[in-house]
Amino acid sequence: MGDLHGRTAESRAGVAAFLAGVWLIAAPPVLHFSASLHAFRPYWLSMGLAVVIMLIGMVRAMAPLDVPLVRPITIVLAAWLIIVALRAGDGGSAAVWLNQLVVGVVIALSAGLALLISMRQ
Protein backbone atom coordinates (compact mmCIF):
# COMPACT_ATOMS: atom_id res chain seq x y z
CA MET A 1 0.00 0.00 0.00
CA GLY A 2 2.91 2.37 0.71
CA ASP A 3 4.17 1.93 -2.86
CA LEU A 4 0.76 2.93 -4.17
CA HIS A 5 0.78 6.06 -2.00
CA GLY A 6 4.28 6.98 -3.24
CA ARG A 7 3.24 6.42 -6.86
CA THR A 8 0.16 8.58 -6.40
CA ALA A 9 2.11 11.44 -4.81
CA GLU A 10 4.81 11.29 -7.49
CA SER A 11 2.26 11.09 -10.30
CA ARG A 12 0.35 14.09 -8.95
CA ALA A 13 3.57 16.07 -8.66
CA GLY A 14 4.29 15.18 -12.30
CA VAL A 15 0.85 16.35 -13.40
CA ALA A 16 1.32 19.57 -11.41
CA ALA A 17 4.68 20.16 -13.10
CA PHE A 18 3.18 19.49 -16.54
CA LEU A 19 0.29 21.90 -15.96
CA ALA A 20 2.66 24.51 -14.52
CA GLY A 21 4.79 24.23 -17.66
CA VAL A 22 1.70 24.71 -19.83
CA TRP A 23 0.76 27.80 -17.82
CA LEU A 24 4.30 29.20 -18.04
CA ILE A 25 4.10 29.02 -21.82
CA ALA A 26 0.61 30.52 -21.90
CA ALA A 27 1.25 33.23 -19.28
CA PRO A 28 3.23 35.81 -21.29
CA PRO A 29 0.59 36.15 -24.00
CA VAL A 30 -2.20 36.17 -21.41
CA LEU A 31 -0.58 38.59 -18.94
CA HIS A 32 1.42 40.88 -21.23
CA PHE A 33 3.02 40.08 -24.48
CA SER A 34 3.01 41.64 -27.90
CA ALA A 35 3.55 39.65 -31.04
CA SER A 36 6.94 41.13 -31.84
CA LEU A 37 10.17 39.20 -31.54
CA HIS A 38 11.59 41.96 -29.33
CA ALA A 39 8.80 41.39 -26.79
CA PHE A 40 9.58 37.66 -26.72
CA ARG A 41 13.29 38.12 -25.90
CA PRO A 42 12.96 38.38 -22.06
CA TYR A 43 10.92 35.18 -21.86
CA TRP A 44 12.80 32.75 -24.11
CA LEU A 45 14.72 31.13 -21.24
CA SER A 46 11.66 30.66 -19.04
CA MET A 47 9.69 29.21 -21.94
CA GLY A 48 12.51 26.79 -22.72
CA LEU A 49 12.57 25.74 -19.07
CA ALA A 50 8.79 25.36 -19.18
CA VAL A 51 9.04 22.91 -22.09
CA VAL A 52 11.66 20.83 -20.25
CA ILE A 53 9.55 20.90 -17.06
CA MET A 54 6.51 19.77 -19.07
CA LEU A 55 8.42 16.83 -20.55
CA ILE A 56 9.77 15.78 -17.16
CA GLY A 57 6.29 16.21 -15.67
CA MET A 58 4.89 13.83 -18.29
CA VAL A 59 7.55 11.24 -17.43
CA ARG A 60 6.81 11.63 -13.72
CA ALA A 61 3.08 11.29 -14.30
CA MET A 62 3.33 8.21 -16.52
CA ALA A 63 6.13 6.31 -14.75
CA PRO A 64 6.21 7.81 -11.26
CA LEU A 65 8.74 5.61 -9.48
CA ASP A 66 10.54 4.09 -12.46
CA VAL A 67 12.83 7.08 -13.03
CA PRO A 68 13.81 8.37 -9.57
CA LEU A 69 16.39 10.82 -10.94
CA VAL A 70 13.72 13.15 -12.33
CA ARG A 71 12.64 14.25 -8.83
CA PRO A 72 15.83 16.18 -8.05
CA ILE A 73 16.09 17.33 -11.66
CA THR A 74 12.62 18.89 -11.35
CA ILE A 75 13.65 20.66 -8.15
CA VAL A 76 16.82 22.00 -9.80
CA LEU A 77 14.86 23.22 -12.84
CA ALA A 78 12.30 24.92 -10.58
CA ALA A 79 15.13 26.61 -8.66
CA TRP A 80 16.64 27.73 -11.97
CA LEU A 81 13.24 29.12 -12.96
CA ILE A 82 13.09 31.05 -9.68
CA ILE A 83 16.60 32.44 -10.26
CA VAL A 84 15.63 33.53 -13.78
CA ALA A 85 12.56 35.27 -12.33
CA LEU A 86 14.60 37.03 -9.65
CA ARG A 87 17.01 38.50 -12.19
CA ALA A 88 14.14 40.13 -14.04
CA GLY A 89 16.22 43.06 -15.28
CA ASP A 90 15.72 42.01 -18.91
CA GLY A 91 12.81 44.38 -19.47
CA GLY A 92 9.90 41.96 -19.17
CA SER A 93 6.57 42.62 -17.54
CA ALA A 94 6.51 42.53 -13.73
CA ALA A 95 3.30 40.48 -13.77
CA VAL A 96 4.92 37.78 -15.90
CA TRP A 97 8.04 37.65 -13.72
CA LEU A 98 5.93 37.43 -10.54
CA ASN A 99 3.89 34.66 -12.14
CA GLN A 100 7.08 32.85 -13.08
CA LEU A 101 8.38 33.16 -9.52
CA VAL A 102 5.16 31.81 -8.01
CA VAL A 103 4.93 28.92 -10.49
CA GLY A 104 8.59 28.04 -9.88
CA VAL A 105 7.96 27.90 -6.14
CA VAL A 106 4.87 25.72 -6.67
CA ILE A 107 6.83 23.29 -8.88
CA ALA A 108 9.68 23.13 -6.35
CA LEU A 109 7.28 22.56 -3.45
CA SER A 110 5.32 19.83 -5.22
CA ALA A 111 8.53 18.05 -6.30
CA GLY A 112 10.03 18.44 -2.83
CA LEU A 113 6.89 17.11 -1.17
CA ALA A 114 6.85 14.08 -3.48
CA LEU A 115 10.54 13.51 -2.71
CA LEU A 116 9.83 13.73 1.02
CA ILE A 117 6.95 11.27 0.77
CA SER A 118 9.07 8.80 -1.17
CA MET A 119 11.92 9.09 1.35
CA ARG A 120 9.59 8.37 4.28
CA GLN A 121 8.73 4.94 2.90
Side-chain angles (χ1 to χ4, degrees):
M1 188 70 166
D3 186 46
L4 180 63
H5 184 64
R7 279 189 182 278
T8 303
E10 187 67 29
S11 181
R12 287 182 182 164
V15 170
F18 177 78
L19 292 175
V22 169
W23 172 247
L24 281 173
I25 291 173
V30 169
L31 297 176
H32 156 92
F33 199 79
S34 64
S36 72
L37 182 61
H38 177 70
F40 177 73
R41 194 168 295 127
Y43 310 113
W44 72 268
L45 184 58
S46 61
M47 286 188 168
L49 284 171
V51 169
V52 173
I53 288 171
M54 283 173 48
L55 293 174
I56 289 177
M58 285 187 338
V59 169
R60 290 177 70 197
M62 300 305 249
L65 299 179
D66 297 337
V67 189
L69 186 61
V70 295
R71 288 181 219 133
I73 290 173
T74 305
I75 295 170
V76 167
L77 287 174
W80 191 9
L81 193 62
I82 292 168
I83 290 169
V84 168
L86 289 176
R87 64 163 196 90
D90 294 341
S93 167
V96 175
W97 293 117
L98 180 62
N99 175 65
Q100 181 177 329
L101 183 66
V102 170
V103 171
V105 168
V106 167
I107 293 169
L109 285 176
S110 69
L113 185 62
L115 183 63
L116 251 159
I117 288 172
S118 70
M119 288 175 57
R120 285 187 52 201
Q121 298 173 12

Short mmCIF file of all heavy atoms in Angstrom, two decimals, residues 76-116:
data_model
loop_
_atom_site.label_atom_id
_atom_site.label_comp_id
_atom_site.label_asym_id
_atom_site.label_seq_id
_atom_site.Cartn_x
_atom_site.Cartn_y
_atom_site.Cartn_z
N VAL A 76 15.75 21.13 -9.28
CA VAL A 76 16.82 22.00 -9.80
C VAL A 76 16.27 22.92 -10.89
O VAL A 76 16.58 24.12 -10.92
CB VAL A 76 18.00 21.15 -10.32
CG1 VAL A 76 18.96 21.99 -11.13
CG2 VAL A 76 18.71 20.48 -9.16
N LEU A 77 15.45 22.38 -11.79
CA LEU A 77 14.86 23.22 -12.84
C LEU A 77 13.93 24.28 -12.26
O LEU A 77 13.91 25.43 -12.73
CB LEU A 77 14.11 22.36 -13.85
CG LEU A 77 14.98 21.53 -14.79
CD1 LEU A 77 14.10 20.62 -15.64
CD2 LEU A 77 15.82 22.43 -15.67
N ALA A 78 13.17 23.93 -11.23
CA ALA A 78 12.30 24.92 -10.58
C ALA A 78 13.14 26.00 -9.90
O ALA A 78 12.80 27.19 -9.97
CB ALA A 78 11.39 24.23 -9.57
N ALA A 79 14.24 25.61 -9.27
CA ALA A 79 15.13 26.61 -8.66
C ALA A 79 15.74 27.52 -9.72
O ALA A 79 15.85 28.74 -9.52
CB ALA A 79 16.23 25.90 -7.87
N TRP A 80 16.10 26.94 -10.87
CA TRP A 80 16.64 27.73 -11.97
C TRP A 80 15.58 28.71 -12.48
O TRP A 80 15.87 29.86 -12.78
CB TRP A 80 17.11 26.81 -13.07
CG TRP A 80 17.91 27.45 -14.16
CD1 TRP A 80 18.41 28.72 -14.19
CD2 TRP A 80 18.30 26.85 -15.38
NE1 TRP A 80 19.09 28.93 -15.37
CE2 TRP A 80 19.04 27.79 -16.11
CE3 TRP A 80 18.10 25.59 -15.93
CZ2 TRP A 80 19.55 27.52 -17.36
CZ3 TRP A 80 18.64 25.33 -17.18
CH2 TRP A 80 19.36 26.28 -17.87
N LEU A 81 14.34 28.26 -12.55
CA LEU A 81 13.24 29.12 -12.96
C LEU A 81 13.05 30.28 -11.98
O LEU A 81 12.81 31.42 -12.39
CB LEU A 81 11.96 28.29 -13.06
CG LEU A 81 10.76 28.88 -13.75
CD1 LEU A 81 11.07 29.17 -15.20
CD2 LEU A 81 9.59 27.92 -13.65
N ILE A 82 13.20 30.00 -10.70
CA ILE A 82 13.09 31.05 -9.68
C ILE A 82 14.23 32.05 -9.83
O ILE A 82 14.03 33.26 -9.76
CB ILE A 82 13.06 30.43 -8.28
CG1 ILE A 82 11.77 29.63 -8.08
CG2 ILE A 82 13.21 31.49 -7.20
CD1 ILE A 82 11.76 28.75 -6.85
N ILE A 83 15.44 31.56 -10.08
CA ILE A 83 16.60 32.44 -10.26
C ILE A 83 16.41 33.33 -11.49
O ILE A 83 16.69 34.52 -11.46
CB ILE A 83 17.89 31.61 -10.36
CG1 ILE A 83 18.21 31.00 -9.00
CG2 ILE A 83 19.06 32.46 -10.85
CD1 ILE A 83 19.29 29.95 -9.03
N VAL A 84 15.90 32.75 -12.57
CA VAL A 84 15.63 33.53 -13.78
C VAL A 84 14.59 34.62 -13.48
O VAL A 84 14.70 35.75 -13.95
CB VAL A 84 15.16 32.62 -14.93
CG1 VAL A 84 14.61 33.42 -16.09
CG2 VAL A 84 16.32 31.75 -15.41
N ALA A 85 13.58 34.28 -12.67
CA ALA A 85 12.56 35.27 -12.33
C ALA A 85 13.12 36.38 -11.44
O ALA A 85 12.72 37.54 -11.57
CB ALA A 85 11.38 34.59 -11.64
N LEU A 86 14.04 36.03 -10.56
CA LEU A 86 14.60 37.03 -9.65
C LEU A 86 15.56 38.00 -10.34
O LEU A 86 15.76 39.11 -9.88
CB LEU A 86 15.30 36.35 -8.48
CG LEU A 86 14.37 35.66 -7.49
CD1 LEU A 86 15.18 34.93 -6.42
CD2 LEU A 86 13.41 36.63 -6.87
N ARG A 87 16.14 37.59 -11.44
CA ARG A 87 17.01 38.50 -12.19
C ARG A 87 16.22 39.10 -13.36
O ARG A 87 16.66 39.08 -14.48
CB ARG A 87 18.28 37.81 -12.66
CG ARG A 87 18.07 36.71 -13.64
CD ARG A 87 19.38 36.37 -14.37
NE ARG A 87 19.06 35.59 -15.54
CZ ARG A 87 18.80 36.08 -16.74
NH1 ARG A 87 18.86 37.37 -16.95
NH2 ARG A 87 18.49 35.30 -17.75
N ALA A 88 15.09 39.65 -13.03
CA ALA A 88 14.14 40.13 -14.04
C ALA A 88 14.53 41.47 -14.64
O ALA A 88 13.67 42.22 -15.07
CB ALA A 88 12.74 40.22 -13.42
N GLY A 89 15.79 41.78 -14.72
CA GLY A 89 16.22 43.06 -15.28
C GLY A 89 16.27 43.07 -16.80
O GLY A 89 16.86 43.97 -17.38
N ASP A 90 15.66 42.09 -17.45
CA ASP A 90 15.72 42.01 -18.91
C ASP A 90 14.65 42.83 -19.61
O ASP A 90 14.54 42.80 -20.82
CB ASP A 90 15.59 40.55 -19.36
CG ASP A 90 16.78 39.72 -18.92
OD1 ASP A 90 17.82 40.32 -18.60
OD2 ASP A 90 16.66 38.49 -18.89
N GLY A 91 13.82 43.53 -18.85
CA GLY A 91 12.81 44.38 -19.47
C GLY A 91 11.47 43.72 -19.67
O GLY A 91 10.65 44.24 -20.41
N GLY A 92 11.20 42.61 -19.04
CA GLY A 92 9.90 41.96 -19.17
C GLY A 92 8.87 42.57 -18.24
O GLY A 92 9.17 43.42 -17.41
N SER A 93 7.66 42.12 -18.37
CA SER A 93 6.57 42.62 -17.54
C SER A 93 6.71 42.08 -16.11
O SER A 93 7.03 40.91 -15.90
CB SER A 93 5.24 42.15 -18.13
OG SER A 93 4.19 42.36 -17.23
N ALA A 94 6.42 42.94 -15.14
CA ALA A 94 6.51 42.53 -13.73
C ALA A 94 5.49 41.44 -13.41
O ALA A 94 5.77 40.55 -12.61
CB ALA A 94 6.30 43.74 -12.83
N ALA A 95 4.32 41.50 -14.02
CA ALA A 95 3.30 40.48 -13.77
C ALA A 95 3.76 39.11 -14.24
O ALA A 95 3.54 38.10 -13.57
CB ALA A 95 1.99 40.87 -14.46
N VAL A 96 4.43 39.06 -15.38
CA VAL A 96 4.92 37.78 -15.90
C VAL A 96 6.03 37.25 -15.02
O VAL A 96 6.09 36.06 -14.72
CB VAL A 96 5.38 37.93 -17.36
CG1 VAL A 96 6.00 36.65 -17.87
CG2 VAL A 96 4.21 38.32 -18.24
N TRP A 97 6.94 38.12 -14.57
CA TRP A 97 8.04 37.65 -13.72
C TRP A 97 7.52 37.17 -12.37
O TRP A 97 8.02 36.18 -11.84
CB TRP A 97 9.07 38.76 -13.54
CG TRP A 97 9.79 39.09 -14.81
CD1 TRP A 97 9.76 40.29 -15.47
CD2 TRP A 97 10.60 38.23 -15.61
NE1 TRP A 97 10.51 40.21 -16.61
CE2 TRP A 97 11.04 38.97 -16.73
CE3 TRP A 97 11.00 36.90 -15.49
CZ2 TRP A 97 11.86 38.44 -17.70
CZ3 TRP A 97 11.82 36.36 -16.47
CH2 TRP A 97 12.25 37.12 -17.56
N LEU A 98 6.52 37.87 -11.81
CA LEU A 98 5.93 37.43 -10.54
C LEU A 98 5.23 36.09 -10.72
O LEU A 98 5.35 35.19 -9.88
CB LEU A 98 4.95 38.48 -10.01
CG LEU A 98 4.26 38.14 -8.70
CD1 LEU A 98 5.30 38.00 -7.59
CD2 LEU A 98 3.23 39.19 -8.35
N ASN A 99 4.53 35.94 -11.82
CA ASN A 99 3.89 34.66 -12.14
C ASN A 99 4.92 33.56 -12.25
O ASN A 99 4.75 32.46 -11.71
CB ASN A 99 3.10 34.79 -13.44
CG ASN A 99 2.53 33.47 -13.87
OD1 ASN A 99 1.68 32.90 -13.21
ND2 ASN A 99 3.01 32.97 -15.00
N GLN A 100 6.03 33.83 -12.92
CA GLN A 100 7.08 32.85 -13.08
C GLN A 100 7.68 32.46 -11.73
O GLN A 100 7.95 31.29 -11.48
CB GLN A 100 8.16 33.41 -13.99
CG GLN A 100 9.30 32.48 -14.26
CD GLN A 100 10.27 33.11 -15.23
OE1 GLN A 100 9.90 33.90 -16.07
NE2 GLN A 100 11.52 32.77 -15.08
N LEU A 101 7.85 33.42 -10.85
CA LEU A 101 8.38 33.16 -9.52
C LEU A 101 7.43 32.27 -8.72
O LEU A 101 7.85 31.28 -8.13
CB LEU A 101 8.62 34.49 -8.80
CG LEU A 101 9.23 34.42 -7.42
CD1 LEU A 101 10.65 33.90 -7.50
CD2 LEU A 101 9.20 35.79 -6.77
N VAL A 102 6.15 32.59 -8.75
CA VAL A 102 5.16 31.81 -8.01
C VAL A 102 5.06 30.39 -8.56
O VAL A 102 5.04 29.41 -7.81
CB VAL A 102 3.78 32.52 -8.04
CG1 VAL A 102 2.69 31.61 -7.51
CG2 VAL A 102 3.84 33.81 -7.24
N VAL A 103 5.03 30.25 -9.88
CA VAL A 103 4.93 28.92 -10.49
C VAL A 103 6.19 28.11 -10.20
O VAL A 103 6.11 26.91 -9.91
CB VAL A 103 4.66 29.04 -12.00
CG1 VAL A 103 4.78 27.70 -12.69
CG2 VAL A 103 3.28 29.62 -12.24
N GLY A 104 7.35 28.74 -10.23
CA GLY A 104 8.59 28.04 -9.88
C GLY A 104 8.58 27.52 -8.45
O GLY A 104 9.00 26.39 -8.18
N VAL A 105 8.07 28.33 -7.53
CA VAL A 105 7.96 27.90 -6.14
C VAL A 105 6.98 26.74 -6.01
O VAL A 105 7.23 25.76 -5.29
CB VAL A 105 7.55 29.08 -5.24
CG1 VAL A 105 7.14 28.62 -3.85
CG2 VAL A 105 8.69 30.09 -5.15
N VAL A 106 5.86 26.80 -6.72
CA VAL A 106 4.87 25.72 -6.67
C VAL A 106 5.47 24.42 -7.21
O VAL A 106 5.28 23.34 -6.63
CB VAL A 106 3.59 26.11 -7.44
CG1 VAL A 106 2.69 24.92 -7.68
CG2 VAL A 106 2.84 27.19 -6.69
N ILE A 107 6.19 24.49 -8.31
CA ILE A 107 6.83 23.29 -8.88
C ILE A 107 7.85 22.73 -7.89
O ILE A 107 7.89 21.51 -7.66
CB ILE A 107 7.50 23.61 -10.23
CG1 ILE A 107 6.46 23.96 -11.28
CG2 ILE A 107 8.33 22.43 -10.71
CD1 ILE A 107 7.06 24.53 -12.55
N ALA A 108 8.67 23.59 -7.30
CA ALA A 108 9.68 23.13 -6.35
C ALA A 108 9.03 22.50 -5.12
O ALA A 108 9.49 21.46 -4.64
CB ALA A 108 10.59 24.28 -5.95
N LEU A 109 7.96 23.11 -4.62
CA LEU A 109 7.28 22.56 -3.45
C LEU A 109 6.63 21.22 -3.75
O LEU A 109 6.70 20.29 -2.93
CB LEU A 109 6.25 23.55 -2.92
CG LEU A 109 6.81 24.75 -2.17
CD1 LEU A 109 5.68 25.70 -1.77
CD2 LEU A 109 7.59 24.31 -0.95
N SER A 110 5.97 21.10 -4.89
CA SER A 110 5.32 19.83 -5.22
C SER A 110 6.36 18.72 -5.44
O SER A 110 6.17 17.59 -4.98
CB SER A 110 4.41 19.97 -6.44
OG SER A 110 5.15 20.18 -7.61
N ALA A 111 7.47 19.04 -6.09
CA ALA A 111 8.53 18.05 -6.30
C ALA A 111 9.20 17.70 -4.97
O ALA A 111 9.50 16.53 -4.71
CB ALA A 111 9.55 18.56 -7.30
N GLY A 112 9.43 18.69 -4.14
CA GLY A 112 10.03 18.44 -2.83
C GLY A 112 9.14 17.61 -1.94
O GLY A 112 9.61 16.72 -1.21
N LEU A 113 7.84 17.89 -1.97
CA LEU A 113 6.89 17.11 -1.17
C LEU A 113 6.84 15.66 -1.65
O LEU A 113 6.82 14.73 -0.83
CB LEU A 113 5.51 17.75 -1.25
CG LEU A 113 4.43 17.13 -0.38
CD1 LEU A 113 4.80 17.24 1.09
CD2 LEU A 113 3.10 17.82 -0.63
N ALA A 114 6.84 15.44 -2.95
CA ALA A 114 6.85 14.08 -3.48
C ALA A 114 8.15 13.36 -3.10
O ALA A 114 8.12 12.17 -2.77
CB ALA A 114 6.68 14.10 -4.99
N LEU A 115 9.26 14.09 -3.12
CA LEU A 115 10.54 13.51 -2.71
C LEU A 115 10.51 13.14 -1.23
O LEU A 115 10.96 12.05 -0.84
CB LEU A 115 11.66 14.47 -3.01
CG LEU A 115 13.09 14.01 -2.71
CD1 LEU A 115 13.44 12.81 -3.58
CD2 LEU A 115 14.07 15.14 -2.94
N LEU A 116 9.95 14.00 -0.41
CA LEU A 116 9.83 13.73 1.02
C LEU A 116 8.96 12.50 1.29
O LEU A 116 9.30 11.66 2.13
CB LEU A 116 9.23 14.94 1.74
CG LEU A 116 10.18 15.71 2.61
CD1 LEU A 116 9.66 17.11 2.83
CD2 LEU A 116 10.38 15.00 3.90
#
